[in-house]
Amino acid sequence: MTTTKTAAALEVAVIGAGAAGLAAARVLSRNGINPVVFEQSSSLGGVWDYRDDESTKKQKPMYQNLRTNLPKELMAYREKKWTGVDHSYVTHQEVLEYLNEYKTDFELDRFIRYNSKVIQLTVLTNTDSKLRMRDEILPKLRVEWQESSSSPICSNNDDNGTTTTTKSQVFDAVCVANGHYAKPSIPPSINVPSSNKVQTMHSMEYNDPNDFRDQTVVCIGGRASGSDLARELSQTAKRVYVSYSGATKEDDSDNLSHVPHTTAVNQDGTIEFEDGSSVQADVVIYCTGYDYQFPFLNGQSQLPRNENEGEEENDFRFSVQPGERRVKPLYKHFLHAGIPNLSFPGLQHSVVPFPYVELQAEAWAHELFAWSSSSSKSSSSVPDRAARYQAAAMDATLGGAKQTGRIQDTHYLGGGQWDYCRDMAKMAQLYNSDMEDYIRTNQAIYEHSGQERASSPPGSEDNYRETRYKRNYGTGGGFEVLSSGISSAVESSASSSS
């Protein structure tokens, strides 16, 4: 691993104690920076902190029977192997256990302030931080948060006897790791409220397939959540339709039907598709993803603007618009182009999240050290402000790694994640033959597991999750398949038909 550095008494905040926030806390502390981690709940884990509380509406996409669609040999942080579990595709409980072990192994609890909800982040434009980039002196940032407590000695009480106190602290840098699976995104053209004929809901509200027994359900969206929910629901529902572009009836099975893109959801329960067909549904589940949200960044935050923003294409005020699924202006998709001491790890999607955010943390920690040091050996690879805004402008319109030009694809990475990880490793000055072996092994496992997953159409049996891998952690990396769930399923089918 990296050699511990010392960043002279930097004060750094991390918002969120999920996978990205924990990685940031670990990497920062290893590099001599003791962060303050604000976590709004009473426990860590972010999206993986599943809670089955019927008294409240679900606020996270985790559900009762979820298993990962990536093997643990790929998902693990670079610094911590995943031990104690034989199977490769783990449950959400096992992911949370792993994150808690990560916290314990690296003594991260000492940095986390639980029950602390950040309500405002403000750039102190006239207050200099300890960070200097060439001729730029980066400003300090003030974080305000509400701290909840059961103690009677506090400023405000709610109906449950919980008390809250509003506090604030000034930092040299802030890492915004509040996740991006909290604000459901539903296309307005098909967003219809529930009626006495049809129940409509987002996949975030889904938990138990038994709640839909003997009902007709339409899942709109055929990616990860739509595919898994359709498969699970087909065991209890009367009929399940999974709607997505490119669906073919050849993939139909038993009570599960694949139907084209949805064009209308009507309150009488009639669901219309782009081929002109329609079905009558009891329940519609929107498996349509999420929007980014940062409620503590607003008109009072005093975020910088590009000096050349007079023209529309150069209007680079901080922007997070519902439906766009784009955050701008960001340099390399995670540093604010105007003030790179404000970072946003984990925004890109279709990635292997834990290793990806870990390398982003390595890159940012290295840059913070470089910006806080007068040593010529502490070089920064982040360019000047004008170049950062120019790069951010290009990324905001390119359409992600596939360069589709669609705003909604801005933060899509997919197969581009391996070069991005190399880029982060180089920024952190960690790139060498061992790192290349690590990234190539990740890519190889990702591609093998992806091929197995792709062999099953949305909603079909998830035999790929029975595949078991073994990763080689020695020189050269690599992996082997101990057993294939896909091959076993094919052999079993052949035996049954003979």
Side-chain angles (χ1 to χ4, degrees), residues 213-422:
R213 188 170 296 280
D214 299 325
Q215 293 183 304
T216 297
V217 183
V218 175
C219 294
I220 300 178
R223 299 195 67 182
S225 60
S227 176
D228 284 347
L229 266 58
R231 172 187 51 76
E232 192 168 283
L233 286 164
S234 67
Q235 306 303 310
T236 59
K238 179 170 65 177
R239 188 79 190 174
V240 178
Y241 298 89
V242 55
S243 167
Y244 59 99
S245 297
T248 64
K249 293 188 177 297
E250 295 176 2
D251 296 324
D252 290 357
S253 60
D254 298 328
N255 66 334
L256 175 64
S257 296
H258 297 252
V259 291
H261 176 74
T262 299
T263 55
V265 176
N266 301 299
Q267 288 200 313
D268 66 356
T270 303
I271 315 302
E272 301 175 25
F273 308 109
E274 65 181 359
D275 65 353
S277 63
S278 65
V279 299
Q280 197 72 22
D282 300 304
V283 182
V284 172
I285 303 179
Y286 297 105
C287 306
T288 48
Y290 297 83
D291 279 322
Y292 302 102
Q293 66 169 356
F294 310 98
F296 43 81
L297 291 172
N298 46 52
Q300 287 72 53
S301 293
Q302 301 185 68
L303 289 166
R305 301 180 178 186
N306 186 3
E307 293 87 343
N308 300 319
E309 67 171 328
E311 299 179 24
E312 184 177 353
E313 61 268 28
N314 289 324
D315 185 0
F316 263 68
R317 290 167 291 185
F318 185 76
S319 173
V320 187
Q321 297 297 324
E324 284 191 355
R325 301 183 187 177
R326 176 179 67 178
V327 182
K328 65 175 187 177
L330 296 181
Y331 176 70
K332 292 191 180 294
H333 295 272
F334 88 112
L335 301 179
H336 189 287
I339 46 171
N341 52 332
L342 178 61
S343 70
F344 297 83
L347 292 186
Q348 288 164 294
H349 61 89
S350 301
V351 299
V352 183
F354 294 9
Y356 154 76
V357 296
E358 187 180 32
L359 281 171
Q360 285 184 319
E362 298 279 13
W364 195 55
H366 171 80
E367 292 298 335
L368 291 179
F369 177 73
W371 302 335
S372 67
S373 174
S374 58
S375 171
S376 60
K377 295 181 180 179
S378 301
S379 59
S380 169
S381 61
V382 176
D384 61 30
R385 183 185 288 111
R388 296 195 303 268
Y389 272 115
Q390 183 178 13
M394 181 179 294
D395 285 340
T397 57
L398 200 60
K402 290 185 177 180
Q403 301 185 15
T404 64
R406 292 180 70 249
I407 288 176
Q408 292 83 356
D409 293 333
T410 297
H411 301 304
Y412 170 83
L413 203 47
Q417 66 185 297
W418 316 116
D419 283 340
Y420 184 88
C421 286
R422 290 183 180 95

Side-chain angles (χ1 to χ4, degrees), residues 108-126:
L108 302 181
D109 225 17
R110 58 195 164 122
F111 305 124
I112 304 174
R113 297 183 183 178
Y114 295 102
N115 300 308
S116 297
K117 181 180 180 179
V118 173
I119 56 174
Q120 184 65 43
L121 193 158
T122 306
V123 180
L124 303 180
T125 54
N126 297 317

